Structure formats: structure tokens, C-alpha cells
Amino acid sequence: MLEAKLATKTSPGHKTRVALSDKVIFGGKDLVIIGGPCSVESLSQMEETAISLANAPVQALRGGVYKPRTSPYAFQGLGQEGLAILAAIRQKHGIPVVTEVMSCEQVPAVVAHADMLQIGSRNMQNFELLKAVGKVKKPVLLKRGLSATLEELILAAEYILSEGNQNVILCERGIRSFDTQTRNVLDLGAVVALKQLTHLPIIVDPSHAAGKRELVADLARAAVACGADGLIIECHPEPDKSVSDARQALSLEEMVSLVASLRPIAEAVGRTIKRPASKRQLSVVTLSGHDLAGNRGQSCACGR
Ligand code: PEP
Ligand code: MN
């Protein structure tokens, strides 16, 4: 039985809305779509992504700068330099940014540069980190652990809520199983069950569940059909050159057409997806890239 007091519903209609900005709100009628690369690699990469995804539109940009990698020799993220890139993009394009925080020490810097703090699957039960993000005000995207039960996920959220931060969004991103055709098993039953158990918004990450780009769109549509409040999807200007999680990255064009394909499904389940605003004329700035060639294509921590 759940010991959670704050995360559970008090009535069937109890639903919390979590605002990422005054326009981007999780848990309302509008679905929130987050897109972007697994890792922040350069300013030009993030800028090209922000400009292309404005055509979808996506409502927030993702990009990891502190990366949980299975191998200590794999690319670990740009760190502070990556945070500065995210802050520059957010400032210039007015789009909220989401990035992972892996330790208590990183919390102040991530709070200063990002709009939402991601707690990755591998840290879902890092209780000190949960308490630390519970003490800040920014929204927290809490990803389900690789083998976590829903009770464990809800109690992890309870750690954050009980410290005072009420802005928690849950994320189903696939769980470990025996089959190797998909990277993880996307547990859509969990989405339906969580909606009955908790008032917190629930989004789905089909990218880390699928592990293969050709599976992502259908899983994203299924997630919307079963009532997810939003999606977080990995995409990249040159997917095959992604420094991490290349195999599951969509191209920016694929991301834009995926969002368009979600509209009739959203409508069928009583939800809406924002229409693109009139085309913005933005120029891509060219700034120094980073030599990450040796790391390209590797899987994010998530190597099996
Ligand atoms: C990620 O979002 O790139 C990531 C590492 O996700 P997860 O924690 O779900 O594996
Ligand atoms: Mn990733």
C-alpha cells in the first residue's frame, strides 16, 4: 500500500498543473512536447534545434550537460559550458530548457540556467538529490527508475513534495525486461495506472524506451492516445552524429512531422497540441564547435 500523502489523489478529479513558464503548463488540456538532443554538443547544434522545432512547435528544449554514462570513458557532458549554451538559447529564443541534474552540488548551477530539472532514471532513488531538488522552486521532471515499481516512483515524488516543491512531473521512459529488440519496455499501463493514483502530470519518453528511431513515432502516438500529459523526445540536426543515443535520435524534420501526426490523436482523447506560430525569421549563428568526434554515436548510460 502507498504511504504517500502528498502525491496521491484526494478525489478522482484531482489534477495538478505544473507551469514551466506562463505559457507552458503540464497537466492542462494542451499537451506539452519537449524535444532536443540527448546531449548538448555545441551552441550551433542547440540553435539549429531550437529554430527547427519552433515549426512543430515544441514547447521546451531538452539537452543533457551532465550525462549519466555506463562507461566512465564515454562522453560525460559539457558541464558548465553546456549550461551556458542552454541559458543562451533560452534567452535568445524564449523557449524553456530542461536538463538533468546528477548530484546535490550541481543543483544551484542547474537552477540558475534551466527552467526544469531532470532527475534521471539512475537517480530516481538518490534520496539526498530528491531532497535537494525538493528545496528549490523550479519544476522537476522525475524519470522512473530502470526497474522501479510505481509505488517506488510515487514515493520518490513524495520526497520532493514533502520538502516543499510541489512542481513535480513524472516520466515513464521504459523499464528493463528480457527482450533485446527494444532497449526497454514502454509501460503504457503505468501511465494509465499513475493517472488514477496520482494528481501529478505524467509524460512519456518513447526515445529511451524504444532505443531505435523507427519505433519512436508509433510509441509517441500510443502515449498520447492513453492519456499522457506530454512527451519528451530526442532529436538532433544530424542524428547519426549524435554524441550519445544516436540510434534513437530523430532528425529535426522527423520531429516536426511527428508532432503534426499527434494532433488528430490528441483531439480524439480531448487534448490539444499548439499550432506553429507564423514562421519566425531567425538566423543560425556559427560558434565554435566541440571536438566530440571520438564519442559520437554511443549510447547514453543506458547501455544494457
Ligand atoms: C536522458 O534523458 O538522456 C537519459 C539519460 O534518460 P534516462 O535517465 O531515462 O535514461
Ligand atoms: Mn539520452
Side-chain angles (χ1 to χ4, degrees), residues 111-127:
V111 166
H113 293 84
D115 302 281
M116 180 154 75
L117 284 61
Q118 176 175 324
I119 301 291
S121 289
R122 289 153 197 81
N123 273 316
M124 190 205 83
Q125 285 188 315
N126 179 338
F127 300 113

Side-chain angles (χ1 to χ4, degrees), residues 11 19 27 52 76 80 87 125 131 142 145 153 162 179 234 242 246 248 285 294:
S11 67
S52 296
Q76 302 286 307
Q80 279 283 351
Q125 285 188 315
K131 288 185 214 167
L142 178 64
L153 173 59
S162 63
D179 197 286
E234 288 186 347
S242 302
Q248 69 200 33
V285 297

Side-chain angles (χ1 to χ4, degrees), residues 37-39 62 67 118 143 183 205 207-208 234 244-245 248 299-302:
C38 181
S39 297
R62 64 150 288 147
K67 296 302 301 177
Q118 176 175 324
K143 297 187 95 177
R183 187 176 187 177
D205 173 349
S207 303
H208 290 88
E234 288 186 347
S244 56
D245 284 351
Q248 69 200 33
S299 232
C300 188
C302 336

Side-chain angles (χ1 to χ4, degrees), residues 21-213:
S21 69
D22 49 357
K23 290 191 221 93
V24 182
I25 297 164
F26 291 88
K29 195 170 184 212
D30 273 347
L31 297 182
V32 177
I33 318 284
I34 306 167
C38 181
S39 297
V40 172
E41 298 168 22
S42 67
L43 182 58
S44 57
Q45 169 222 27
M46 291 309 290
E47 181 124 57
E48 194 176 339
T49 304
I51 292 168
S52 296
L53 298 191
N55 296 325
V58 306
Q59 288 76 46
L61 270 192
R62 64 150 288 147
V65 304
Y66 297 113
K67 296 302 301 177
R69 305 304 301 275
T70 300
S71 165
Y73 308 116
F75 175 62
Q76 302 286 307
L78 291 182
Q80 279 283 351
E81 188 187 349
L83 285 179
I85 292 172
L86 287 175
I89 295 293
R90 161 203 201 215
Q91 162 89 12
K92 181 167 174 193
H93 296 278
I95 185 162
V97 297
V98 183
T99 198
E100 179 162 352
V101 56
M102 286 174 56
S103 70
C104 298
E105 298 74 52
Q106 292 165 0
V107 171
V110 174
V111 166
H113 293 84
D115 302 281
M116 180 154 75
L117 284 61
Q118 176 175 324
I119 301 291
S121 289
R122 289 153 197 81
N123 273 316
M124 190 205 83
Q125 285 188 315
N126 179 338
F127 300 113
E128 292 307 314
L129 182 59
L130 297 175
K131 288 185 214 167
V133 299
K135 291 187 175 76
V136 304
K137 293 196 176 69
K138 291 221 162 147
V140 176
L141 179 62
L142 178 64
K143 297 187 95 177
R144 183 181 183 185
L146 306 177
S147 306
T149 65
L150 297 190
E151 182 163 8
E152 287 164 340
L153 173 59
I154 290 174
L155 286 169
E158 189 82 11
Y159 265 91
I160 304 170
L161 298 169
S162 63
E163 291 291 337
N165 188 346
Q166 305 305 308
N167 302 309
V168 179
I169 296 140
L170 305 177
C171 180
E172 162 57 36
R173 47 77 73 202
I175 48 173
R176 283 266 166 103
S177 188
F178 51 85
D179 197 286
T180 53
Q181 288 300 312
T182 56
R183 187 176 187 177
N184 291 291
V185 172
L186 183 61
D187 185 2
L188 292 181
V191 177
V192 178
L194 284 167
K195 285 175 72 75
Q196 295 179 14
L197 292 166
T198 170
H199 54 90
L200 299 171
I202 298 135
I203 70 167
V204 168
D205 173 349
S207 303
H208 290 88
K212 293 177 178 168
R213 67 175 65 95

